[in-house]
Amino acid sequence: MLMTALLGVADPPQLLPAREQMAFTLGFHIIIVPFGVAFTFMMLICHFRALRYGDQQALLLAQRWSRVAAVLFAVGAVSGTVLTFELGLLWPGLMGAYGAAFGFPFAIEGLFFFLEAIFMAIYIYGWRRLPPWPHFFTGVVVTLSGVGGTAAVIAANSWMNQPGGFTVRNGRVTEVVPSKVFFNGAFWWETVHMLLAAYIVAGFMVAGVYAWGLLKGRQDRYHRLGFLVPFTVASIAMPLQFLVGDTIARQVFDREPAKFAALELVPSTADHVPETLGGVIVNGAVRYGLPIPDVASLLAGFRPSTTIRGLDAIPAPVRPDDAVVNVVHLAFDVMVGTASLLLLLSLWFAWFWWRRHEVPANRWFLRGASVAGLIALASLESGWVVTEVGRQPWTVVGVLLTRDAVATQGNLWPLFASVLAIYLCVGIGALLVLRTMRRKWSEHDPETVAVPYGPYPAPASTDHADGADRR
C-alpha cells in the first residue's frame, strides 16, 4: 500500500472533495451524538427523582427532554445513515480491502441502533400508557443502547489508529479475529474519552439553556433543577476527562509518534522539549509560539530528559506536511484551552455548592454557564480534528494510505454539494422544531402544567413533598 507514495504518484483529484465531505458530515454528526448518549441519561435522572421522591417538576423535565431527545435522535439517524453510505462511496479502497475487519464494529453498532430506536419509540409512546416504573426502565435501555452504539463506532475509529486482529494476504484480508478488531489497543481509552466528552457537551449545552433563563430572572424551581442536573453531570465528568486525556497523550507518544510530534510541534527529535502554545511550523522551524521549557518531555515521560521523536524521524513518503501538522497542533491547543476553561467553571460550581448547597446566583457564573455548551462543542470538534487529521496521511495507520483508500472515478464535488443541501435542510428543520417546542413550553407556568402521570408512589403528605424538594 506504500507503492504510490514510494513512486511519488500525485494524489487523485477525488481526494480533496472526499476528505472535505467526510469532515463536514462527521463534524455535523458529532454534534448530535452527545444527546443520544448522555442527554437521555440526564432525562432518566429527572425521571428517577420524580418516581422516587414525588417530584413533579423533575417529571415535567423528563417528559419535555424526552421529546427533544426524540427529535435529535431522528436527526442523528439521518446524518449517521449518510456517513455509512459515504464509507462505501468515498472510500472503496478501505471497505473493499479491509471491510471484513473494519465493518465488524459497524455491524455491532447497527444492532445497538435498532435497539435504541425501538425503545426510544416505546419510551415516548409510554407517557400516559405504561405504568411508571416499567416506563422508566424502557428509558434505561435507550441510554445503554446509546453507550453501546458509541463504543462500537469508537472501536472502528480506534482500529484505524491502532489496527489489529486481521491477516492480509495478497492485499486482501483473509483472517479476522473479531474480538481483537473490536477491543484493539486504543479501544478502551478512546471509548472512555468519547463517552466523557458526550456527557460534558450534553451537560453544558442543556444547562446553558436554563442558565440563560436564570439570568433572565426565571428563578423558579423548574429552571434551577433544569440547570442543576446537567451541569452537575458535566462538572463531574470534567476532571475525569483530564485524567483520561493525559493517559491517551502518553499512549499516542508510545504508539503514534507522528501524531504526537504534530500535537507538540516537534520538528526534530530531541529531549527537554518545550510545550509550545500556539505557533506553527514554517519550512521545518517552529515560529510564533510561546514555549514552556521541558513541559512536553515531562508530560510524555515524567522526566525533562524524555526524548520525543520529531517529524524528522518519520519516513519522508509518509510524513505529514506542514499544513497538516499546523492544523493538528492548533486544534490540540483549542481542545486543551477550552477544556481548561470548562474545568475552572466546574470547580467554581463545586466550591459554591460545597459551601451553600444551591445554584450560584453570581451573574458572571451564569454568563459563563450559558456559553459553556458552545465552548464544550468547540472542544469536541477540535478533539475530532486532532484524532482524524492527526492520522494523516494514513486511513489505517501503517496499513492503508488515504490516497489509496479514496474513490478514483467520477466528480465528487456534486455529491458533496448534495450532501451539504441535505444537511442544511435537516439542521434548519431540527432547529425550527426545537424552537417551536421551546416557545410552546415557555407560554405555560411549569408549576401548573399537568404532567403525564403522578409519581409512583405518590407523596403521602405536603411535608413529604417539601422533603423531596430539599433532597
Side-chain angles (χ1 to χ4, degrees), residues 105-118 145 149 152:
F106 284 104
I108 302 299
E109 191 273 338
L111 297 176
F112 279 115
F113 171 78
F114 283 114
L115 191 64
E116 185 179 8
I118 291 168
S145 298

Side-chain angles (χ1 to χ4, degrees), residues 329-394:
H329 172 68
L330 294 176
F332 180 69
D333 280 358
V334 171
M335 179 184 69
V336 175
T338 51
S340 298
L341 291 175
L342 295 173
L343 179 63
L344 291 174
L345 190 65
S346 300
L347 293 175
W348 187 356
F349 170 74
W351 175 77
F352 194 92
W353 184 262
W354 174 68
R355 291 188 63 197
R356 301 191 183 182
H357 287 272
E358 61 184 29
V359 176
N362 183 286
R363 295 188 66 82
W364 282 108
F365 171 83
L366 292 176
R367 290 188 183 105
S370 65
V371 299
L374 297 178
I375 296 173
L377 193 58
S379 188
L380 177 69
E381 293 281 8
S382 58
W384 271 97
V385 170
V386 168
T387 298
E388 299 303 299
V389 181
R391 189 169 55 242
Q392 299 305 314
W394 300 100

Side-chain angles (χ1 to χ4, degrees), residues 50-125:
L51 300 185
R52 178 66 179 84
Y53 299 119
D55 190 333
Q56 297 281 48
Q57 296 304 303
L59 190 62
L60 182 59
L61 281 169
Q63 183 202 23
R64 289 179 172 179
W65 287 358
S66 70
R67 294 177 180 177
V68 175
V71 172
L72 295 176
F73 178 83
V75 175
V78 173
S79 59
T81 301
V82 172
L83 280 170
T84 302
F85 282 108
E86 282 180 345
L87 289 172
L89 290 172
L90 303 180
W91 311 104
L94 170 63
M95 300 308 296
Y98 299 97
F102 182 68
F104 173 73
F106 284 104
I108 302 299
E109 191 273 338
L111 297 176
F112 279 115
F113 171 78
F114 283 114
L115 191 64
E116 185 179 8
I118 291 168
F119 278 88
M120 174 67 79
I122 294 173
Y123 186 81
I124 298 298
Y125 182 80

Side-chain angles (χ1 to χ4, degrees), residues 162-446:
Q162 296 184 26
F166 65 99
T167 302
V168 177
R169 290 191 178 92
N170 300 321
R172 307 289 295 185
V173 173
T174 58
E175 298 178 17
V176 176
V177 182
S179 61
K180 291 184 178 180
V181 170
F182 198 97
F183 300 106
N184 56 77
F187 169 77
W188 290 109
W189 289 114
E190 285 196 23
T191 299
V192 174
H193 195 51
M194 181 60 214
L195 289 175
L196 287 173
Y199 283 94
I200 289 167
V201 171
F204 283 129
M205 289 195 75
V206 175
V209 174
Y210 295 92
W212 183 253
L214 293 171
L215 270 174
K216 294 297 183 180
R218 299 171 186 168
Q219 297 291 332
D220 54 88
R221 187 174 180 280
Y222 174 84
H223 283 84
R224 287 186 284 113
L225 187 62
F227 171 84
L228 187 61
V229 170
F231 201 90
T232 300
V233 171
S235 296
I236 292 172
M238 201 63 242
L240 298 176
Q241 185 71 302
F242 266 81
L243 294 175
V244 172
D246 181 64
T247 303
I248 290 176
R250 274 187 290 279
Q251 187 181 69
V252 171
F253 168 71
D254 290 331
R255 302 184 184 184
E256 298 179 72
K259 181 184 289 187
F260 193 84
L263 295 179
E264 299 295 351
L265 216 60
V266 184
S268 303
T269 300
D271 54 17
H272 294 274
V273 177
E275 181 77 22
T276 303
L277 304 181
V280 293
I281 283 185
V282 180
N283 297 325
V286 178
R287 298 189 179 179
Y288 314 118
L290 175 64
I292 304 177
D294 298 341
V295 171
S297 289
L298 277 170
L299 293 176
F302 301 109
R303 298 190 312 273
S305 59
T306 300
T307 298
I308 296 178
R309 287 169 285 183
L311 294 168
D312 63 345
I314 310 302
V318 293
R319 183 185 303 153
D321 59 34
D322 287 355
V324 168
V325 171
N326 292 334
V327 167
V328 173
H329 172 68
L330 294 176
F332 180 69
D333 280 358
V334 171
M335 179 184 69
V336 175
T338 51
S340 298
L341 291 175
L342 295 173
L343 179 63
L344 291 174
L345 190 65
S346 300
L347 293 175
W348 187 356
F349 170 74
W351 175 77
F352 194 92
W353 184 262
W354 174 68
R355 291 188 63 197
R356 301 191 183 182
H357 287 272
E358 61 184 29
V359 176
N362 183 286
R363 295 188 66 82
W364 282 108
F365 171 83
L366 292 176
R367 290 188 183 105
S370 65
V371 299
L374 297 178
I375 296 173
L377 193 58
S379 188
L380 177 69
E381 293 281 8
S382 58
W384 271 97
V385 170
V386 168
T387 298
E388 299 303 299
V389 181
R391 189 169 55 242
Q392 299 305 314
W394 300 100
T395 292
V396 183
V397 174
V399 176
L400 178 66
L401 287 165
T402 303
R403 64 166 69 100
D404 294 330
V406 73
T408 56
Q409 301 294 324
N411 185 356
L412 297 182
W413 288 112
L415 177 62
F416 184 21
S418 300
V419 170
L420 277 173
I422 292 171
Y423 275 56
L424 183 64
C425 293
V426 170
I428 292 175
L431 290 175
L432 290 175
V433 170
L434 294 176
R435 186 181 181 187
T436 300
M437 293 165 63
R438 182 190 66 82
R439 284 184 172 179
K440 180 180 178 181
W441 293 337
S442 65
E443 292 172 356
H444 303 283
D445 182 358

